[in-house]
Amino acid sequence: MKYEKLFERGRIGKLNLKNRVVMPAIGVNLANSQGEATDVITRYYEERAKGGVGLIITEIARIDDEYGVGTPNQLSVTEGRHIPHLERMIETIQKHGTKVFIQLHHPGRETKSSLIGGKQIVAPSAIMCKETQEMPRALTTEECEGLVKSFIKGAVISKTAGADGVEIHAAHGYLLNQFISPYTNVRTDKYGGSFQNRLRILSEIITGIKYMCGADFPVSVRISADEFVEGGLKLPESVKIARTLESLGIDAINVSSGTYESATTIIEPGSYPQGWKKHLATEIRKNVKIPVIAVNNIKDPQTAEQLLNDGVCDFVGVARGHLADPNWVNKARDGKSDQIRKCIGCLNCFAELNQGRHTKCAVNARVGREIEFSDPNIDGEGKTVVVIGGGPAGMQAALLLDQRKYRTILIDEREKLGGTLNVADKAPIKEKVADMNNGMIREIEESGVDVRMNTKATVEMVKELNPDGIFVAVGATPAIPPIPGIQGKNVMLAEDVLTGKSVATGRVAVIGSGLTGLETAELLADKGHPITLVEMQKNIGPGINRTILVDLMMRFQKHEPVIIPNHRLMGISENGITIMNQMNNQVMQIEADTVVLALGVAPRRSMVNEFLDAFENIRVIGDAEKAGRIQEAIKEGYSQAFAFTTK
C-alpha cells in the first residue's frame, strides 16, 4: 500500500480506529431549526463515512440554546428530544466502520445577537471581538457554573445517542478558548486571573464528563495552539495547557490555531501552503503522551502521509478535503489519489454559511444536496450526447453523463481541458486550482468519455454525430467596451497577461479589481511593474470573499500600488488613461505605458445561438449561459446532467 502510515489502525483511549484520517468539525448548517439531526445531515455524513474516513467529528453542537447558538441550523445536544434523531445519524455513520465524536460548542462572543433573539451576547469578559463587532456582557460566576453543567449534559446526551466520544471545542476564539486566553479573560473571580483559574471551567467540564460518562468514554479537546493575535495564546503556554489537560484524563488533543480575528489561520485561503503550521502540533506532541490530531491545511494524501511519518501528529485532520471529495480516503487507499477532486481554498463553503445558507463546495455540487442527488438514473442506454466545451462545467457534465451510461463525446477547441481554470491557475499562488483541474482531467481520462481536443465544434460536425442531446459549455469572452483607444497596441487583456500571451511593459494601469484584475495586478507587481488599479465601484474587490480579499491585499499592498476606486475608464492613449470620478464627474489623467483590461466576461452568445437554432434537446451551461465562478459552473454541469433526459 502506498500510504502505509495513513492506513495504520489507531487508538484514542480504548477506541479503535481503522485508519489515521479524521474528518474534523466543519460547520454545515444542515440540522433543523430545533437542532435535531435531519435526513440531510445524516446523508451528508454517511457519504464521508462510505468514503473511508476513520473518525468523523461532527459540526459544532450547541450545549446552550439561549446564548450558545453558532449557526441557525446547527446540531444541538441540549435536550433529551435530540437523542432519537442524533442516534439515527450516528448509527448510519457507524455502519460503515467509521467512529463518531460529537463536538460540544459555545460561541461566546463569536456570534451575533440576531441568532439569539436580539439578546446581548455573552463572554468571560466584556471585550468585543473585532470581527463580530458586538459588545458582549460578562457572564456571572453562577452562569459559568451553569455552563459547566450544560457541557456535561451535552456529553451525556451524545453518549446516550451512541456517540463513540465527544470533543470539547476550546479553540478558534469560541467561549472556552476565551476563558483560557489572557487576551479575552480579565475576570477576577475563580474563572479568571491565574493560569489555573483561566483553565478552571474547562477542567470542571472534563472532570464532570469523565464522572458522568465513565473513564473509558473518549474525550478530545480542540485548542488553538497559537491564536495569532497580540496578547493571545502562544505555543509555549499552549504546551502547558495540553499537559494540564492530559493530566485531567482527556484521551486526545486536537491542535488547530487562530480566532475570528486571525481567521485566515483557522480556515486558510488557497495561498497558504499545506503543512504551514505543523510546528504547532509537533511541539504539542513532543510534550504529551496522548494522541494528537492536527489540521494542517491538508489537500492530498501525500502530505498527510509525510506529516505522520515526520511525527507531527498521530491522526491527520482533513476537513475541506472531504467537502471537495467524500471519497478522499478510498481514492488514496485504492491508488487513485491523482483522481481526488481537491479543495482549492476558495472559502466558498464558509461564505455560504456567513450568508445563513447551508455549506456548499465550489468543486463538489453535491455537498448538502446528497439526498437530492443521491442516485442518478442509469438510463443513457448508449444514446449519444455531445458536450461542447471542456471547461469545469463541460467536464462535470460529461463525467455524470458518462456515469449515466450515455455515449458522451466531449469536444474542445483547445489543447488542454479546463477552460478558464487554465487561466486562473496562472495567478500567484494558485497551484491548488491547477491540482483540482488536473484531478478532473484524470477523472475524464479514467471514464468512458470520448474526448476530442483541438477541435472546433460546428453545427454541421455535431449533426453528423446524430446526438440525442447537446450540452453547450463554450464559455465566455472578455468584455471590451467601446472606449476611445481601447484597440491600442498598449492595451491587453488580463487573461492574456496571466497566460503569457501578452507582455506588459513599464508602468501598468489595471482596469477592474475583480479577482482576475487583482491577481493580474499582483502578478505584474511581483515582476516589478508600478501599478495603478482602477475600479468603477466604490470598493475594491467587488464580489470577492472577504478573507480571500484581505489575504490578497496584504501581499499586493506591499508593492505600494496606487488604488483608485469609484472611477470609470473614459479613454486610453499611448501615454496613459483618462478616468472620471463617478461622484463629481471630475476627470483625471493617469500615466501608464501598458493598460490591462479586467472588465469581466460575456457569454459567447453568437456561437450559442447557432446551436440553439439547430438542435432541440440542448442545455446551455457555465459561462456560456451566464458568467460566474467555478462554483456555478460545477453546479450547473452536475445538476443539468443529473436531470437530463432524451425525448
Side-chain angles (χ1 to χ4, degrees):
M1 184 176 292
K2 185 175 181 180
Y3 305 112
E4 293 184 2
K5 197 71 176 177
L6 205 59
F7 290 97
E8 279 185 358
R9 297 188 66 84
R11 289 171 65 90
I12 294 178
K14 294 185 178 180
L15 183 69
N16 291 308
L17 302 179
K18 63 182 178 180
N19 57 49
R20 300 291 176 135
V21 185
V22 174
M23 181 181 169
I26 183 169
V28 290
N29 212 20
L30 293 173
N32 68 19
S33 59
Q34 302 303 309
E36 293 179 334
T38 61
D39 290 345
V40 176
I41 196 170
T42 298
R43 186 58 181 265
Y44 160 80
Y45 281 124
E46 183 181 16
E47 289 232 344
R48 278 78 199 162
K50 288 168 65 177
V53 64
L55 169 66
I56 289 176
I57 304 174
T58 68
E59 70 159 0
I60 51 175
R62 65 175 177 262
I63 53 87
D64 171 23
D65 289 329
E66 186 173 8
Y67 295 104
V69 181
T71 65
N73 291 77
Q74 70 181 120
L75 289 170
S76 179
V77 286
T78 59
E79 301 293 342
R81 60 185 168 85
H82 295 123
I83 292 172
H85 292 283
L86 194 63
E87 179 185 26
R88 183 182 178 194
M89 182 192 80
I90 290 168
E91 290 182 349
T92 300
I93 297 168
Q94 290 171 333
K95 72 184 181 183
H96 299 287
T98 299
K99 306 301 183 183
V100 188
F101 282 9
I102 304 298
Q103 189 184 68
L104 309 177
H105 171 266
H106 193 298
R109 69 177 193 161
E110 289 186 342
T111 189
K112 292 284 187 179
S113 58
S114 59
L115 289 175
I116 55 174
K119 297 187 292 291
Q120 186 177 10
I121 60 175
V122 299
S125 303
I127 301 172
M128 184 173 66
C129 172
K130 295 174 184 176
E131 183 64 25
T132 59
Q133 290 287 301
E134 287 195 31
M135 178 60 71
R137 69 167 177 84
L139 290 158
T140 66
T141 302
E142 291 73 20
E143 285 178 313
C144 295
E145 292 168 345
L147 284 170
V148 171
K149 295 176 183 177
S150 295
F151 271 97
I152 297 168
K153 181 180 179 182
V156 171
I157 287 173
S158 299
K159 183 182 181 184
T160 304
D164 297 292
V166 293
E167 178 167 274
I168 303 168
H169 202 336
H172 301 166
Y174 291 127
L175 182 72
L176 297 180
N177 189 172
Q178 293 160 31
F179 272 100
I180 296 170
S181 175
Y183 178 66
T184 44
N185 186 347
V186 293
R187 299 177 69 93
T188 56
D189 66 354
K190 64 180 180 178
Y191 293 111
S194 68
F195 175 85
Q196 290 78 10
N197 280 358
R198 284 187 281 116
L199 215 61
R200 184 183 300 276
I201 191 168
L202 183 53
S203 301
E204 291 177 350
I205 290 168
I206 293 167
T207 302
I209 291 174
K210 284 294 184 179
Y211 177 78
M212 293 299 296
C213 295
D216 292 341
F217 185 67
V219 176
S220 169
V221 177
R222 192 170 207 185
I223 66 169
S224 284
D226 191 328
E227 291 185 287
F228 291 104
V229 294
E230 189 67 31
L233 291 172
K234 299 299 178 186
L235 184 55
E237 187 166 20
S238 293
V239 168
K240 186 178 178 183
I241 290 169
R243 295 181 68 176
T244 303
L245 297 178
E246 181 181 29
S247 72
L248 293 170
I250 69 168
D251 302 275
I253 191 154
N254 188 345
V255 179
S256 187
S257 65
T259 74
Y260 276 22
E261 293 180 6
S262 55
T264 58
T265 67
I266 305 175
I267 309 150
E268 301 91 339
S271 62
Y272 278 60
Q274 297 186 71
W276 72 273
K277 56 187 176 185
K278 62 183 181 181
H279 63 287
L280 300 176
T282 300
E283 189 62 25
I284 297 290
R285 188 170 184 264
K286 287 179 182 177
N287 285 275
V288 297
K289 294 182 175 61
I290 55 175
V292 171
I293 306 166
V295 287
N296 270 294
N297 195 31
I298 298 168
K299 308 301 181 190
D300 58 59
Q302 296 93 320
T303 300
E305 179 79 1
Q306 191 63 52
L307 292 170
L308 291 170
N309 280 321
D310 290 346
V312 172
C313 52
D314 300 284
F315 295 90
V316 290
V318 181
R320 285 176 290 166
H322 278 101
L323 290 184
D325 195 333
N327 291 305
W328 194 97
V329 176
N330 283 346
K331 286 181 179 179
R333 182 198 62 203
D334 297 340
K336 298 179 179 179
S337 58
D338 59 344
Q339 296 179 47
I340 290 175
R341 186 79 64 89
K342 292 177 184 173
C343 168
I344 59 175
C346 67
L347 304 186
N348 179 71
C349 45
F350 286 91
E352 292 291 328
L353 288 178
N354 290 338
Q355 295 296 317
R357 299 188 285 262
H358 71 77
T359 194
K360 300 180 184 71
C361 177
V363 304
N364 180 3
R366 298 185 70 249
V367 172
R369 302 173 71 183
E370 285 83 5
I371 291 179
E372 177 186 349
F373 291 141
S374 58
D375 297 302
N377 290 324
I378 309 300
D379 57 357
E381 299 176 338
K383 297 176 183 177
T384 299
V385 178
V386 175
V387 179
I388 305 167
M395 284 195 291
Q396 181 60 80
L399 285 167
L400 185 52
L401 289 166
D402 175 70
Q403 182 184 339
R404 294 183 58 197
K405 302 304 181 184
Y406 284 96
R407 175 181 175 242
T408 307
I409 301 172
L410 176 59
I411 303 173
D412 193 279
E413 60 190 27
R414 290 154 292 201
E415 295 182 357
K416 181 182 178 182
L417 291 171
T420 55
L421 297 178
N422 292 315
V423 177
D425 66 3
K426 303 301 187 298
I429 326 179
K430 296 299 286 286
E431 297 85 358
K432 293 180 179 67
V433 174
D435 289 343
M436 174 262 177
N437 187 35
N438 290 334
M440 288 193 75
I441 292 172
R442 284 292 296 129
E443 289 182 75
I444 291 283
E445 291 172 347
E446 291 296 316
S447 73
V449 176
D450 179 357
V451 180
R452 303 181 184 185
M453 302 301 298
N454 298 302
T455 303
K456 184 175 177 59
T458 65
V459 170
E460 292 73 20
M461 174 200 304
V462 176
K463 280 186 175 180
E464 290 181 2
L465 297 171
N466 192 27
D468 296 280
I470 305 288
F471 279 70
V472 179
V474 294
T477 57
I480 305 176
I483 293 173
I486 200 85
Q487 300 297 334
K489 294 181 179 180
N490 62 332
V491 181
M492 51 194 65
L493 300 173
E495 67 174 40
D496 290 341
V497 173
L498 288 170
T499 59
K501 182 178 178 180
S502 297
V503 179
T505 59
R507 299 162 297 180
V508 180
V510 177
I511 315 301
S513 72
L515 190 57
T516 299
L518 277 174
E519 290 179 338
T520 305
E522 181 187 8
L523 176 71
L524 292 170
D526 287 345
K527 293 181 177 181
H529 294 279
I531 302 295
T532 299
L533 182 66
V534 180
E535 170 57 51
M536 186 170 67
Q537 298 192 37
K538 64 179 181 179
N539 294 316
I540 296 296
I544 303 176
N545 176 281
R546 184 175 179 274
T547 303
I548 297 289
L549 181 60
V550 169
D551 179 55
L552 196 158
M553 292 302 290
M554 285 178 63
R555 300 192 306 270
F556 180 44
Q557 287 179 327
K558 292 178 182 178
H559 298 289
E560 299 182 349
V562 177
I563 299 177
I564 308 175
N566 209 26
H567 280 68
R568 180 187 296 271
L569 178 66
M570 303 301 294
I572 303 172
S573 69
E574 294 181 358
N575 301 316
I577 59 174
T578 301
I579 58 176
M580 183 181 72
N581 188 310
Q582 299 203 112
M583 296 295 293
N584 57 22
N585 294 334
Q586 183 176 347
V587 174
M588 63 186 297
Q589 308 292 324
I590 303 293
E591 294 183 352
D593 302 296
T594 303
V595 180
V596 177
L597 304 179
L599 299 172
V601 296
R604 300 173 70 179
R605 187 57 59 192
S606 61
M607 187 174 183
V608 170
N609 288 338
E610 288 180 14
F611 287 97
L612 285 172
D613 292 340
F615 297 94
E616 290 187 6
N617 197 8
I618 185 169
R619 304 289 181 99
V620 182
I621 59 175
D623 284 351
E625 172 65 18
K626 181 182 178 182
R629 303 166 296 171
I630 295 174
Q631 175 196 342
E632 285 82 20
I634 296 287
K635 180 177 71 173
E636 281 192 17
Y638 192 93
S639 61
Q640 295 289 327
F642 188 93
F644 175 78
T645 59
T646 56
K647 295 182 179 179

